[in-house]
Amino acid sequence: MTYSSRPSGPETGPLAAARAADQRAPDDRGAPAVPDPRPDPAAPAAADAGLPGTAAATATAASATAGTATAGTATAGTATAAAGTATVAAPPDGERAASGPVRISSPPKPRKERDPFFDNAKYFAILLVVSGHSIANLQNVPMAKGLYIFIYMFHMPLFIVITGYFSRNWTFSPGKARKLITNVGVPYVVFEVAYSLYDWLAGRHDLEISLLSPYYLTWFLCALFLWRLSTPVWQQIRWPLAVAMGFALLSYMSDLGSTFDIHRVFGLLPFYVLGLKLRPEHFELLKRPIARPIGAAVLAVGLACSYLVMKHMSVRWIFWKDPHFMLGVGDFKGTLMRLAMFACATVLVAAFLTLIPRKRYWFTALGATTLYCYLLHGFVTRLLNFTGWWGADWMHTPGGVVAVLCGAVVVGTFLCSPPVRRAMSWALEPKMTWVFTPLRRPSRG
């Protein structure tokens, strides 16, 4: 280092800076803050992308060793360094600053709120499911039959598209695999056994429990389990929707048997894959104000068409479970019919979503528990079937159909309510951490 040899003028060098600091006022009033190379635990982390707490100390040490800087220049240089990095104030007298780098944990990410649009959609969709099952035994009334065909054309495709959309990020990670088992696999086993016992106790003479042949509405859980497992495959295929459609159309050309209701698993697969390919911007198109009257018009036309075709088509088409030969048609005609049904169902799903409220309402939270309603309402509809209530004359009138639909809305809403969820969460959302072990990985041989 080089110091000036002239006796007059301001003294320079590190010693001069130290003397100037010693001569400052005892209370430090008016003195500039002196960066301390030892980080203060209470100081925020450095703003640079390097190790937190170390960039400011390096810059301060560099400015303190400038050989020709005066006390004012040293202060200015330190301030300049502080402009780019975080600094810490000098510790109070008699108190020693902690040494070592400062590590401040980042705040937890805020939990992403549920979009009320999709919860509203699921709430109204489950009301369609309950209503469709409620009027299934009233189809001798033309009003009920036309409405039944209309509902069944798109109510399950609607659920499946939304399910596929929320399965886009599904992987074979341990957490998601365990949730698939507890929230889909276990409820399937529980309700397959429960419905079989319920059916037997209600009057059937033979007790039949088979996990390979889904009973009544449990087929959806079986299909959902298989669809979720296939998600990573569809996410890596160049044209997943075309491939899924090919599987669906081919599945109806032969008898695949009733195991796992496999015709429905393959037949409705394109709707699940469609949901996988959708993005938020696609739903934003359906939320535009201009889409609402268009959607209402499409649904009105679809309902009218259902009444026009109800005398010319078998309702077994809308169950999506029978191969062509069981419907009395050849493969060519049956394939054209299936393609038309896929197109109609997709259009009706989009039209229905245009009418869904965007904001949060009293029923929005109920949309998060629609699986409870789906699996539990069957006990009510089967009870009415076992007890002969569907044979009441007053039900087989237009007024009776309206009354049954109103009752379906009330029952569906109640089965989505918090009391039902608290009472039945052991079966639909069981806590089964004791069943699982850490992920076993194959040893390297």
Side-chain angles (χ1 to χ4, degrees), residues 133 187-204 206-223 258-261 264 321 374-375 377-383 385-386:
H133 288 161
Y188 172 70
V189 174
V190 170
F191 281 89
E192 181 68 19
V193 173
Y195 271 112
S196 298
L197 290 173
Y198 185 67
D199 198 12
W200 174 64
L201 293 173
R204 289 185 61 182
D206 298 326
L207 176 61
E208 299 177 3
I209 299 177
S210 174
L211 299 180
L212 301 181
S213 181
Y215 178 88
Y216 195 29
L217 43 74
T218 59
W219 69 267
F220 178 69
L221 291 179
C222 179
S258 60
T259 302
F260 293 143
D261 230 342
R264 276 174 167 164
K321 60 180 296 185
Y374 179 80
L375 291 175
H377 83 275
F379 291 104
V380 179
T381 57
R382 302 300 284 177
L383 177 64
N385 187 32
F386 296 148

Side-chain angles (χ1 to χ4, degrees), residues 85-98:
T85 57
T87 64
V88 294
D93 293 341
E95 183 176 331
R96 183 179 179 182

